[in-house]
Amino acid sequence: MRRPFIAGNWKMNTTVEEAVSLVSAMASDLRSETAVDIVLCPPFVSLYKIREMIAGTSIGLGAQNMYFKDKGAFTGEVSPLMLKALCRYVILGHSERRQIFGETDALVNEKVKAALSAGLTPIFCIGETLEENDAAKTGEVLTRQVREGLKGIPAGIEVVIAYEPIWAIGTGRAAAGPQADKTIGLIRTEVAAVLGADAAESTRILYGGSVTAANITEFIGQPQIDGALVGGASLKAAEFSSIVKQAGAIKASP
Ligand code: PEP
């Protein structure tokens, strides 16, 4: 049984003050949810403050990126050791990092390995572009991203994977639940090829891309989909809480 997992990727939104208000507005709702692993991923500058706010709750905290070196002359970067002191999770390989900042599969792989060595759990993102999808290249792209991104990682270690078709991110055009389920089934097969059958069975694979309170049930009700990585809707306290609650209720029902 894989425990449902809902993470909110706030991206480059919220000042520290706004982040505090957002967490205050959602914390009591989220605190009472016990059936779902909930992870908030605010900007770096708010991690310290939010860590204090959620201390003693089951709400998890994650960063949105990191470099793979522990320290040194890498101006502007944040290291696994720095994050380890603040949070448990780190989003890696998000399509915005790949597309806007030119991150390659090889760089993402370095980051995944460094996060794991530091004891962080990566939320490893993969997904195809619209052009790749139209050209029926989704399977090929995801296979490459899984094989390259997870290459060389030790067995028995936790990684969360987020399948985020790029054409669905921030567009309001979510994938269809059954289609996302089928694709995530293929990703699980690839994970088995790289990490082994047991790891594939226990790895949580999320869907991401225009998830809202109105469509979460379409995804969370699918057998291969273990949760969601939520962007825009995670910036609205009531909507994010509703997504979490609906996920908990569906996965808890027989
Ligand atoms: C994301 O950025 O990871 C994401 C899924 O965004 P949105 O939910 O806004 O599409």
Side-chain angles (χ1 to χ4, degrees):
M1 237 330 235
R2 296 181 295 265
R3 209 173 130 76
F5 189 106
I6 303 284
N9 173 14
W10 296 7
K11 312 195 188 195
M12 198 176 71
N13 294 297
T14 69
T15 60
V16 176
E17 212 173 37
E18 288 162 349
V20 167
S21 305
L22 189 52
V23 174
S24 306
M26 55 175 69
S28 62
D29 266 352
L30 297 185
R31 223 178 261 140
S32 60
E33 177 57 61
T34 54
V36 179
D37 283 348
I38 306 159
V39 178
L40 305 178
C41 302
F44 289 130
V45 292
S46 295
L47 284 171
Y48 188 81
K49 184 67 196 164
I50 293 179
R51 175 173 170 262
E52 284 179 351
M53 291 179 77
I54 60 174
T57 75
S58 60
I59 303 170
L61 191 60
Q64 298 173 19
N65 180 35
M66 55 161 235
Y67 196 51
F68 63 88
K69 297 279 192 185
D70 283 344
K71 60 181 177 176
F74 303 102
T75 301
E77 292 296 320
V78 169
S79 86
L81 291 186
M82 293 169 191
L83 291 183
K84 181 57 189 155
L86 292 173
C87 60
R88 171 167 169 196
Y89 297 93
V90 59
I91 297 173
L92 294 174
H94 191 281
S95 63
E96 287 150 17
R97 301 287 330 164
R98 293 177 190 261
Q99 293 203 306
I100 303 170
F101 301 100
E103 293 199 6
T104 60
D105 289 323
L107 176 61
V108 175
N109 178 245
E110 290 295 347
K111 292 184 175 197
V112 169
K113 288 189 291 190
L116 290 169
S117 319
L120 292 159
T121 300
I123 302 174
F124 167 61
C125 300
I126 55 176
E128 82 285 3
T129 63
L130 184 59
E131 294 70 34
E132 288 161 345
N133 187 281
D134 286 347
K137 289 193 168 153
T138 300
E140 186 187 315
V141 169
L142 297 175
T143 297
R144 192 201 71 231
Q145 289 176 334
V146 169
R147 292 190 180 221
E148 296 295 313
L150 300 183
K151 193 158 64 182
I153 74 169
I157 242 163
E158 186 192 14
V159 177
V160 176
I161 299 177
Y163 167 55
E164 301 203 300
I166 296 171
W167 45 269
I169 296 180
T171 57
R173 189 188 150 199
Q179 184 56 44
D181 189 62
K182 195 169 158 215
T183 307
I184 287 178
L186 295 175
I187 294 169
R188 206 175 288 289
T189 305
E190 284 312 316
V191 174
V194 180
L195 301 179
D198 290 350
E201 195 45 43
S202 61
T203 295
R204 283 162 312 169
I205 310 184
L206 321 177
Y207 167 77
S210 297
V211 169
T212 64
N215 67 18
I216 181 65
T217 55
E218 188 179 339
F219 301 104
I220 204 78
Q222 304 287 341
Q224 293 292 338
I225 303 181
D226 304 313
L229 180 55
V230 184
S234 70
L235 291 165
K236 299 174 199 150
E239 179 154 22
F240 187 66
S241 300
S242 167
I243 290 171
V244 169
K245 297 257 168 229
Q246 292 183 67
I250 290 200
K251 286 290 185 194
S253 64

